[in-house]
Amino acid sequence: MALLEAARMMRSLRSMPVSSALRRRFCAAAVGSTNLSTGEWTTASAGSADEAIAPEPLKASGNPEVSEETTKKLAGKVCQLFRTGRDSVVIAATGEVAAARTMRALAIASAKMGPAEFHAKADESHKAPGSSLRFHVAKRYSWTRFKRIWSLISAESKLMPITPGTDTNSLARAILAEQRKHRVVALSLNPSNDTVLKVAAEALALLQSSSPQGAELICVLRWPSGRGGHRMYAHVLHRSALPDE
């Protein structure tokens, strides 16, 4: 009987006029297991439901021989997923080229659909040589809202230039100190230099494990088209500074 009831519940949820993401969450929560000795049905917890429906991450190409068109395609895929109701997207990037392409793709996606807020984390499951990162991306507000909030809290912040020789650990410490002092940090990046973009991405990933403060920092990339788009800017701030719209 419990199994029949669960099946009826899932059919009912699939017919509900809600987003596909929300419907999948409810359906996954309705799935559980039966204790064979008692016949009792146990539904999955909210955490296990999220894990059960976690989609495979997008993968950034790390092959330098592949055309840079792959970056534009990755940006387009990110935009498409958010347009279809996805509330978050994960991108896996292994190696310098893939990390750099992910940063460029997120900047392109932000220009098309509004700020693609993200934080990066080291992929601890990766065993092969070379760094592997996962970029966790969300779309929570418009450029109008972002620029309004940023202008209110960034008056005393300084632009921090990043070079290929910038030490990742030193950069992460500098970001934390600057954010603690001025609430926001802005990094100036050369978008065509893969090493610069990789250094910035790895420093952002270090923030997540450095302290409770660092774990709450997020980044939004802006790549102005003026002057040939020679500079990209990484805006780092506390997640709570920009509540959901």
Side-chain angles (χ1 to χ4, degrees), residues 42-192:
T42 303
T43 58
S45 66
S48 61
D50 286 340
E51 293 169 4
I53 62 173
E56 284 293 312
L58 302 178
K59 289 188 172 83
S61 172
N63 184 352
E65 297 181 1
V66 173
S67 165
E68 192 62 19
E69 281 298 313
T70 188
T71 300
K72 296 178 182 178
K73 290 179 180 178
L74 179 59
K77 184 63 176 178
V78 170
C79 292
Q80 177 190 6
L81 289 173
F82 281 114
R83 280 197 302 268
T84 56
R86 183 79 67 84
D87 55 3
S88 64
V89 173
V90 178
I91 304 174
T94 299
E96 180 176 297
V97 173
R101 282 176 169 164
T102 301
M103 296 282 277
R104 284 192 287 269
L106 290 176
I108 293 170
S110 289
K112 290 182 177 180
M113 69 175 187
E117 169 193 296
F118 74 94
H119 65 271
K121 287 185 176 182
D123 184 0
E124 297 179 354
S125 66
H126 181 71
K127 304 299 182 183
S131 63
S132 183
L133 302 175
R134 291 209 173 196
F135 295 75
H136 299 258
V137 190
K139 173 74 175 69
R140 301 193 297 128
Y141 36 77
S142 65
W143 274 119
T144 299
R145 181 176 178 78
F146 175 84
K147 290 177 180 178
R148 183 171 67 249
I149 298 297
W150 182 268
S151 65
L152 290 174
I153 61 178
S154 65
E156 298 182 4
S157 67
K158 297 178 182 179
L159 194 61
M160 194 180 296
I162 311 303
T163 70
T166 299
D167 179 71
T168 302
N169 290 283
S170 299
L171 176 57
R173 289 193 295 269
I175 291 173
L176 280 174
E178 182 73 8
Q179 194 276 332
R180 196 177 290 121
K181 185 177 180 180
H182 296 303
R183 300 178 64 189
V184 298
V185 184
L187 310 179
S188 176
L189 312 171
N190 179 351
S192 62

